[in-house]
Amino acid sequence: MFKYHLLALLLGTVLDAIFGRIYSIWNPFDTIKEYVRFLDRALLGDEIILIEDSKQRQLGLWLVFLVIAPVLAVVLFFNMLFYEISIFTGVIFEAFATYLCLEGHYLFYGGRAVMSEYYGSGFVAMKRMAEKFTSSDSKADTAEALTKETITYIASGATDLVLNPFLIAFFFGPVGAFLYRCLHIIESRVGIFSNGCSKENRYMLFGYYPAKLIYLIGYIPNRINGALTVFAAKYTFGDFNGKNAQYIHLRDRFKAVSAYAGALGITLKNGHIGDEDNITSPKALRTATNLLRNTCMIYQLILVILLLIF
């Protein structure tokens, strides 16, 4: 069974690399996002000043449970069902479920599109594309600042939307990958920053447990993926500074972002990570996406080696 699991995981990564997200078909994570948005309003309401602090934290736990429980039940049921029908249908389902959890294709080509807009149509078009790509408004007023914002998004997404789901899927199958992506969706909406400040005062207490859960679950995968990104920067082809990637990652150690900052010789995350060794031009987006692609290919190579062994 382990060999079939490896094969399904490999097929899932190949599907993501070739097709990426197909917007003409239903994606369960869009529904989950809407469900989280609904529960946010239903549980917390508008007048949070009327809710006790301890109650707000409890409601945050309820949010996690009300999202995780049905997703766990549905994905586990169908995974068991399809494997019960036949090994072939089980592998196909697991591969498709894994594919849904990965966003590598989107990050790679999205980053390239932002760079192309700058050289094709200028800064205004680049900013419009970057805001569409990251689904957020940007305050950057120069191409350099906007490039750093976009690379930070790619580097964070490489951890949260590609490498961590992949690694968790390796150990816990599509069920684990789905649950991780659900927790990430919850944390992205209501979670607090690691320094204790909230994205909005509304979520200071309500988002406490979602943020803690995603931190605990991602603690080991974050470190593995950061180390693998450093390995890719040192030993794969591309305009990377491998030694600096290792130095900056060991010093700053933030997901894979610190490895990207070191590999490119720039500062990321609003100047909090890395050193400004190079002038940041939009061409750095090509280097960042190449590092993402190379890291994913290392994972695929590991899967192929394991398939040959087993």
Side-chain angles (χ1 to χ4, degrees):
M1 285 298 295
F2 182 61
K3 185 172 184 177
Y4 296 121
H5 168 62
L6 294 175
L7 178 61
L9 195 56
L10 179 61
L11 289 174
T13 62
V14 170
L15 286 173
D16 175 59
I18 296 175
F19 299 105
R21 181 170 179 179
I22 302 174
Y23 289 90
S24 59
I25 66 173
W26 173 72
N27 188 296
F29 292 111
D30 289 336
T31 303
I32 292 169
K33 287 178 183 177
E34 291 300 320
Y35 182 47
V36 169
R37 202 171 286 123
F38 165 76
L39 288 176
D40 173 21
R41 309 307 305 185
L43 292 172
L44 202 57
D46 296 317
E47 300 296 332
I48 63 171
I49 194 172
L50 301 177
I51 305 176
E52 297 177 0
D53 289 355
S54 60
K55 185 69 172 178
Q56 289 187 43
R57 288 195 177 191
Q58 291 176 11
L59 290 173
L61 277 178
W62 272 107
L63 172 65
V64 172
F65 174 77
L66 290 173
V67 174
I68 292 301
V71 171
L72 173 64
V74 171
V75 179
L76 183 60
F77 170 78
F78 280 106
N79 192 54
M80 294 175 64
L81 175 64
F82 280 105
Y83 268 110
E84 190 67 28
I85 294 172
S86 71
I87 294 295
F88 174 77
T89 55
V91 169
I92 295 300
F93 173 79
E94 188 173 351
F96 184 70
T98 302
Y99 152 72
L100 290 175
C101 293
L102 304 177
E103 298 283 357
H105 184 280
Y106 176 78
L107 292 174
F108 181 86
Y109 287 101
R112 292 291 182 96
V114 174
M115 179 190 69
S116 297
E117 283 297 314
Y118 175 77
Y119 290 108
S121 304
F123 173 72
V124 175
M126 178 191 184
K127 185 173 183 177
R128 185 165 55 247
M129 177 59 72
E131 290 178 337
K132 181 180 179 181
F133 172 53
T134 62
S135 300
S136 62
D137 296 329
S138 173
K139 296 181 180 179
D141 54 3
T142 65
E144 180 180 4
L146 186 60
T147 298
K148 289 181 179 180
E149 283 186 4
T150 307
I151 293 176
T152 299
Y153 178 81
I154 292 171
S156 294
T159 300
D160 297 328
L161 304 177
V162 185
L163 304 180
N164 278 6
F166 175 92
L167 195 60
I168 292 173
F170 178 84
F171 289 105
F172 302 104
V175 177
F178 257 82
L179 295 186
Y180 179 83
R181 283 297 308 273
C182 288
L183 281 174
H184 180 260
I185 289 171
I186 297 170
E187 197 280 331
S188 297
R189 179 166 179 84
V190 308
I192 59 175
F193 291 123
S194 58
N195 62 9
C197 298
S198 63
K199 296 177 180 178
E200 297 177 22
N201 289 333
R202 170 184 176 83
Y203 301 129
M204 176 65 80
L205 300 170
F206 185 61
Y208 177 80
Y209 285 117
K212 286 296 182 182
L213 282 170
I214 198 72
Y215 173 78
L216 291 173
I217 293 173
Y219 184 83
I220 293 177
N222 284 346
R223 277 147 183 78
I224 294 174
N225 291 319
L228 193 73
T229 304
V230 169
F231 181 87
K234 291 181 69 174
Y235 300 110
T236 63
F237 294 105
D239 191 17
F240 316 128
N241 188 335
K243 291 184 178 179
N244 194 50
Q246 184 177 30
Y247 168 72
I248 296 298
H249 180 65
L250 290 174
R251 188 191 72 184
D252 296 341
R253 203 176 290 279
F254 181 77
K255 298 183 179 179
V257 178
S258 49
Y260 274 77
L264 275 64
I266 61 177
T267 59
L268 296 176
K269 209 172 187 297
N270 297 322
H272 293 102
I273 294 175
D275 295 326
E276 199 65 55
D277 299 322
N278 300 320
I279 297 174
T280 308
S281 71
K283 288 182 180 179
L285 286 163
R286 179 188 291 117
T287 307
T289 54
N290 284 342
L291 183 55
L292 169 64
R293 179 198 59 201
N294 291 4
T295 308
C296 293
M297 290 180 68
I298 289 174
Y299 268 127
Q300 291 176 320
L301 178 61
I302 291 172
L303 288 177
V304 171
I305 293 172
L306 290 175
L307 277 170
L308 293 176
I309 293 174
F310 289 97

